[in-house]
Amino acid sequence: DEAPTTEVDLWPDPLALSRLGDDLLLRRLDGGTTDAWRDHHRRLGGLPPGDLGESALDVVEAEVDLLLDRAGLRLPLPTDHRSVEVAVNGTVIRATVPVDSDQLPHLRFTRWHPYLRVEPWLHLAVATLAEPDVDWTAVLAARTELNKKKGPVAFPLRLRAVDGDRRPSATKILETALDLNRRARSDAIPFFQRYSWSLLSGRSRQ
């Protein structure tokens, strides 16, 4: 029989690090400081003792700094927002957009996955249909993929213009989303990187 271990892992688990990163990211986007974030979590407790706790904060701070740098946003983000709404095939869709800014930020302190593109595309489509004269750009950023060392994933998203008009692309995105929503209420919809395309094109027998 193996002897019971007496070792205790004091380093924060991935969920704890993710919560620290989420908090710092939101504070920085709102114009807060890293020093205030550090002080808050020192008082709050829950960090490893001594220098190990400071090292955990250092790791999170460095990753958030790199994510913000890759995103290239103008900070702090606008605090004022206005509501917009559009009607597509009889369905009213509402969203909020920032005042005095053409950027739609979607930054997440979570590991990159392709599904993170969905919300920014929908937000971009609604904003474009509601206010087509604004050159809207969604800014997407997330942590690096697991077990990869490329750093954070960050890129802007803009709709393709058709004869100088981005509204047809926006309409197509929202029509597709509404159709998927309707279908998902009555049947399972498989979402796989290759298999789903074969279903859509009719090349799959299953």
Side-chain angles (χ1 to χ4, degrees):
D1 294 338
E2 295 183 1
T5 180
T6 58
E7 296 181 358
V8 178
D9 188 0
L10 297 178
W11 190 255
D13 61 33
L15 181 58
L17 288 175
S18 180
R19 288 171 176 165
L20 287 170
D22 277 333
D23 186 41
L24 177 57
L25 182 59
L26 290 174
R27 287 170 181 262
R28 291 287 304 278
L29 292 175
D30 289 339
T33 66
T34 301
D35 287 342
W37 167 77
R38 282 178 171 270
D39 290 340
H40 170 76
H41 284 283
R42 289 189 190 110
R43 295 193 304 270
L44 187 65
L47 295 173
D51 292 342
L52 193 59
E54 294 301 313
S55 295
L57 295 178
D58 289 342
V59 167
V60 173
E61 178 185 346
E63 192 168 0
V64 169
D65 283 346
L66 186 55
L67 192 151
L68 289 171
D69 181 67
R70 292 281 179 88
L73 289 170
R74 299 185 294 269
L75 298 179
L77 296 180
T79 57
D80 294 332
H81 291 75
R82 62 184 182 277
S83 297
V84 296
E85 68 175 44
V86 297
V88 178
N89 294 339
T91 300
V92 176
I93 307 171
R94 298 180 178 87
T96 60
V97 296
V99 175
D100 298 327
S101 176
D102 57 8
Q103 293 183 319
L104 305 173
H106 287 264
L107 277 63
R108 301 276 299 276
F109 195 80
T110 188
R111 296 293 181 187
W112 165 253
H113 190 279
Y115 80 83
L116 294 176
R117 290 192 181 101
V118 174
E119 185 178 347
W121 274 122
L122 295 176
H123 196 183
L124 188 59
V126 174
T128 299
L129 277 183
E131 300 182 0
D133 293 336
V134 179
D135 188 10
W136 295 107
T137 300
V139 181
L140 173 59
R143 302 174 69 190
T144 184
E145 295 180 72
L146 192 63
N147 299 324
K148 293 191 177 181
K149 299 181 179 180
K150 297 180 180 180
V153 176
F155 49 86
L157 298 173
R158 297 182 65 196
L159 295 185
R160 179 181 299 174
V162 178
D163 296 328
D165 189 355
R166 295 188 179 89
R167 286 174 294 182
S169 296
T171 301
K172 183 64 176 178
I173 289 171
L174 296 177
E175 286 178 340
T176 301
L178 290 171
D179 181 56
L180 287 172
N181 180 270
R182 178 183 59 79
R183 292 171 182 267
R185 294 174 185 271
S186 59
D187 197 6
I189 300 178
F191 284 103
F192 302 100
Q193 189 169 358
R194 291 183 294 273
Y195 182 55
S196 297
W197 285 109
S198 66
L199 287 175
L200 180 65
S201 63
R203 291 195 297 268
S204 174
R205 296 181 181 179
Q206 300 182 10

